[in-house]
Structures are given as structure tokens and as C-alpha cells.
Amino acid sequence: MWVGTGESADVLLDAGPRHASSIWTRAYLRLLLSGDTACVLLACVCVLGVRLLSGIYIPAEEFMLGVGLVLAWPVALALGGAYRQRANGEGTDEFKAVLNGGVGLMAAVAIGAYATQTTIARSFVLAMLPLALIATLGFRYRMRKRLHRRRALGEYMRQVIAVGHRESILDLVMQFRRQPYHGMRIVGACLPAGRQDDDLDGIPILGTFGDVADVVARTGADAVAVLACPELDGTALRRLAWSLETARTDLFVAPALLDVAGPRISIRPVAGMPLLHVEHPEFDGARQFVKSVFDRLVALAALLLLALPLLVIAALIRATSPGPALFLQTRVGRGGREFRLVKFRTMVDGAERLKEGLPNEFDGVLFKMRNDPRITGIGAFLRRYSLDELPQLLNVVRGEMSLVGPRPPLREEVAQYGADVRRRLVVKPGMTGLWQVSGRSDLTWEESVRLDLRYVENWSLVLDLQILWKTWSVVARGEGAY
């Protein structure tokens, strides 16, 4: 979770070490503005074109209204916050801002038409503006994907100075390198006074906590990330913000509650102090009931739609290797309750007996092996595209699993859990989750645990929908599965 202060209006056209390297450039925002205007213009032309082709007479007033709506569209999006630098590139804020601006303009036109008893705007409200909204959301999505591809190549990155302790900075460096779509690159670090480190995994140590402003001036960095540490209290952070104010350098502060974000957090002024209020996660009640109903209905519908493909896969497994098509295994679910997980068999029959003597290539309690000799030919294909997990839809229908949640662990894994890791068991395990869309089997044990705990602390139906959406592209690429 990041609390950001400051805005950078500098233009970025490359990933150089200059302070002008902020990714949110005037050029990028102009491109968004041009694309949004093109979307609403296309929607206007389509609506008017259909009416003309249908032989419907269009008065001049309606043409003028169309022109007015085309001009008002980017203004409405701007009022909704669609052109704020920090809203674009990742997260849902960008799409929420577009929706707010588009729906707000629709409401304004509808109210205006009703108040003036005008019927001329009806077709625009019912056809043009919704079409413009859909086109704009599609355009923004494509622009985001294009931006992520450029960032994966190391372009359009924000240059960041990390301030904190060695372990925290190393973790941040690892996350930014693994997920370059965030658009941040650590170019230097400032550690507490007295540390003798020369560098942190290739990141140069450029000073201490008191040298941050000078380090920013020397490197031309356009952002500072302050990680949780006792030395930087409220007074020190306030002075740091003042020192960065003149150069308009962005300041990001990571509180100690790194895995808590979203609606659970709010800042409330109490006795003249801004206090961070953290609400408890909701594991029961109406929201959990809605999630359970959603999971079961979607899983049941998926089973009905995929019935024939599932039968074909089962037949291929039986035809290519001796043994049953399905593999049943005891897993641990919510609250430590055990259940029988259903999967397609991807290994030779009796693979568990052959496990002894095989090297574990994973660094935690899980057993993982990239070239496991027990995996069959059809099994390797099923694993690559996660088709072996489709029978788990039965577990979801029975209420033992969820569509989205932590990975369902084995008994022997749970036996090795510490107190913190057992937090994963307060929600139902899922067919997919943050671990699935963030690297799958390529993740380390610590990373997979951290992602599962992050999901537990911040779960919501909206987050589930986002993870389900991302799962499609991850599975299609077949990355990190073995």
C-alpha cells in the first residue's frame, strides 16, 4: 500500500536518469485525450449514420447537439479524474474515473432533457454516450496493455530512490523487477547511518536518511519511496516532504501494514493528527454470502458448459496411460477442515509412492520439480494450461473451495505452518488467486505466502473478478506451470 504526495507534470519520452523521466507525461495524457475524443466522435458518427441509413430525418439541432457532446466528453472525463497522472497505468482508478465521467455526462444530458422537455437528446443518451463509454474503456485498456509492454522492455520507467532498511529495500527491488508494469525502477538507496553496505543487489547505496534530498538532486530521480522504519517518524517525514517540494519530487510512503489496502483503510483527523484507521476484514456476513452464491453459480454454469470437453480430457487420460482419469487428494480447507480435492490425473498411477528420492526444487514446504519424471505426456499439457484443475469446479459447487482464494494446501504442508502462515486458512482455498496471476510455480515459498496473506486481508468480490480476468491471459500463456 502506498500513500502518495505530490504530482509531477514533467514530460517523459525516455527512461533516462533525468528528473523529467516521470512516465505520466504531457505527451501520454495528450494521447489519451485524443483517443477519448476519437472514441466519442466515432460513437456520434455511428449513431447519426445509422439514422441516416434508416431514412430518418436529422434536424440541424441534433447535429449541433452531437458536436456539443463530442466536445463535452473529454471535459466530463477530466472532471471525473480520468486524466490524473496517478490514476493511469494500473489499478482500477482509471476505469472508475472514466465510468464516473461518462455516467455523469449521461445523467446531466438526461436531466437537462427532462427539465427542458426536450426529446431530441433521447437517442444520444440511449445510444451515443453508452457506445462512447464502451469504446473509451476499450481504448484505455489497450493503451494500458501497450504501456505494460513498453515497461517490460525497460522503457517509460519512473526513477525511484528507496529509503529504509536493507531487507525492506531488497524486497521492494525484487517486487519491482518481477512486476515492471508498476513503472518504477529503483536507481539508488538511502540506509540508516552507520551501515557499511556498498550496494543492494546491484542498487548503489548513495547516502543516509539525511542525504535524501541531495541524492535526488544528484541522480535526477523523480520519486522517493520511504519504507516503514522507526527512524523516519512524522516529523522526519514532514521535513523530507518539505525538502522535496521545490523540485516537485513525488513522495511515496509505505506504512507498516504493507498487506492491508483498499476500502479497509481510511485516514481520519483525530485531535489534530491524521490517524490511519484500519477496519477488520469481513470473513462472514452478507459479503461472504454473496461471494459463496457467486462462486457456486459460476462453477455450476462452467461445469454445464464444459461437460463435453471434460469428458474428452478424461478419455484422453485413460487412453494414454493406465489408471483412473481423476485424481483425489486430501487437502485442508477453511478453518483446517479437510476435504477431497478433485483433479485430472497428470502423473502415472501411484505417483505418490515414487516421490521418495526425487529432488525438491522449491525453497519451502511445497514439493516442486520442473521436469518431474512422473508426469505423463498429456499431463504436461494439462498442467501447462491448468486444465487439470477444471474438476475442482465440483469442489466449488460443494462449497469446499472458492473460485478465488489461497492455494489449497496438503496436510503435511499445514503441519509445517507457522502462526502467521495459518492465516491462509481463515478463507476457503481457491482454484486461482494472486499466486496464480503473479508467477504460479515460479514464485518462491515466501512470495506465495505473502500473496495469499494479501488476498486474505483484502478480499472482495471486485478483487475476485479482477483475478479471474487476469487468470485467462496467464493460463493462455502457460507461464510458470510445471
Side-chain angles (χ1 to χ4, degrees):
M1 179 186 64
W2 297 93
V3 178
T5 61
E7 290 278 349
S8 175
D10 296 309
V11 178
L12 167 68
L13 294 176
D14 58 63
R18 299 167 294 134
H19 182 64
S21 62
S22 170
I23 184 58
W24 308 120
T25 70
R26 291 192 183 99
Y28 183 77
L29 294 180
R30 283 197 299 268
L31 184 58
L32 292 181
L33 176 63
S34 301
D36 295 342
T37 305
C39 289
V40 69
L41 180 61
L42 177 63
C44 181
V45 171
C46 288
V47 171
L48 294 178
V50 168
R51 298 191 65 184
L52 286 173
L53 292 175
S54 302
I56 300 176
Y57 172 72
I58 302 178
E61 293 84 356
E62 193 154 335
F63 277 107
M64 295 302 297
L65 179 60
V67 173
L69 291 177
V70 169
L71 296 176
W73 183 254
V75 176
L77 296 187
L79 293 176
Y83 299 109
R84 289 180 302 174
Q85 295 176 8
R86 67 182 64 178
N88 295 282
E90 60 178 309
T92 60
D93 287 349
E94 179 178 4
F95 301 115
K96 288 180 181 177
V98 172
L99 284 171
N100 290 339
V103 173
L105 181 58
M106 288 186 227
V109 173
I111 294 172
Y114 176 79
T116 59
Q117 297 299 307
T118 303
T119 59
I120 193 174
R122 187 173 301 165
S123 64
F124 287 99
V125 176
L126 297 179
M128 174 188 164
L129 293 181
L131 182 59
L133 181 59
I134 294 173
T136 302
L137 289 172
F139 165 72
R140 290 296 187 108
Y141 177 77
R142 295 304 304 170
M143 285 297 297
R144 174 174 292 197
K145 290 300 180 183
R146 178 178 179 272
L147 179 63
H148 290 177
R149 288 194 297 270
R150 300 296 293 270
R151 285 174 168 176
L153 299 175
E155 302 175 4
Y156 299 153
M157 303 294 284
R158 175 173 291 182
Q159 313 300 311
V160 180
I161 299 297
V163 181
H165 289 273
R166 175 186 175 86
E167 293 74 18
S168 300
I169 294 178
L170 284 174
D171 182 64
L172 187 64
V173 170
M174 178 186 65
Q175 296 305 318
F176 284 166
R177 287 176 178 174
R178 179 179 289 276
Q179 301 173 333
Y181 63 83
H182 289 300
M184 293 192 178
R185 178 189 293 125
I186 308 291
V187 297
C190 292
L191 297 180
R195 294 301 299 262
Q196 302 298 321
D197 309 76
D198 294 326
D199 66 65
L200 300 173
D201 196 14
I203 305 300
I205 307 301
L206 302 178
T208 65
F209 290 172
D211 304 322
V212 176
D214 293 335
V215 169
V216 169
R218 294 201 314 267
T219 60
D222 56 343
V224 172
V226 179
L227 305 175
C229 51
E231 293 89 346
L232 292 172
D233 56 11
T235 301
L237 282 175
R238 184 167 59 247
R239 291 171 180 168
L240 176 60
W242 291 343
S243 67
L244 301 175
E245 193 174 78
T246 304
R248 306 296 296 171
T249 303
D250 286 348
L251 175 62
F252 298 94
V253 180
L257 293 169
L258 291 177
D259 289 320
V260 180
R264 286 184 54 199
I265 290 181
S266 59
I267 298 178
R268 300 182 179 180
V270 178
M273 298 183 297
L275 298 183
L276 197 67
H277 180 255
V278 183
E279 298 180 0
H280 295 295
E282 186 177 340
F283 299 123
D284 294 293
R287 291 178 63 222
Q288 189 63 246
F289 176 76
V290 171
K291 174 182 170 67
S292 179
V293 172
F294 172 80
D295 286 339
R296 295 191 184 198
L297 290 178
V298 172
L300 183 59
L303 281 173
L304 294 176
L305 290 174
L306 298 174
L308 182 58
L310 291 175
L311 290 174
V312 172
I313 293 175
L316 288 173
I317 294 173
R318 293 294 303 273
T320 54
S321 64
L326 295 178
F327 174 69
L328 303 179
Q329 190 176 45
T330 300
R331 298 292 181 102
V332 181
R334 183 181 182 185
R337 291 184 292 272
E338 296 182 352
F339 67 96
R340 297 288 281 175
L341 180 136
V342 187
K343 298 178 66 176
F344 280 127
R345 181 175 58 85
T346 59
M347 294 185 175
V348 296
D349 194 22
E352 288 298 312
R353 297 191 302 269
L354 305 175
K355 182 177 177 181
E356 302 238 353
L358 295 177
N360 185 8
E361 298 177 1
F362 206 66
D363 61 350
V365 300
L366 298 179
F367 180 88
K368 290 288 184 180
M369 189 175 177
R370 288 186 178 272
N371 298 307
D372 196 321
R374 300 172 297 167
I375 299 177
T376 62
I378 186 67
F381 176 81
L382 295 178
R383 283 181 171 230
R384 179 173 179 81
Y385 298 103
S386 295
L387 298 176
D388 61 315
E389 299 176 2
L390 289 178
Q392 293 175 29
L393 291 168
L394 292 170
N395 295 113
V396 177
V397 172
R398 294 202 298 251
E400 298 162 339
M401 292 181 61
S402 175
L403 292 176
V404 180
R407 176 188 166 277
L410 296 165
R411 287 175 180 169
E412 53 267 30
E413 296 171 15
V414 176
Q416 301 179 57
Y417 281 0
D420 291 345
V421 183
R422 293 191 69 87
R423 179 76 170 169
R424 302 166 81 188
L425 302 179
V426 301
V427 298
K428 293 179 183 178
M431 293 182 61
T432 185
L434 285 175
W435 49 272
Q436 175 82 308
V437 300
S438 303
R440 302 169 84 179
S441 295
D442 286 338
L443 296 173
T444 64
W445 168 248
E446 289 76 13
E447 290 171 328
S448 63
V449 169
R450 180 177 52 81
L451 290 172
D452 280 344
L453 294 180
R454 179 183 298 175
Y455 175 81
V456 170
E457 298 298 331
N458 302 289
W459 81 268
S460 67
L461 188 57
V462 173
L463 178 60
D464 283 4
L465 294 174
Q466 293 174 351
I467 293 174
L468 288 172
W469 174 260
K470 292 181 179 180
T471 299
W472 288 106
S473 60
V474 172
V475 170
R477 293 195 302 267
E479 298 176 354
Y482 50 87

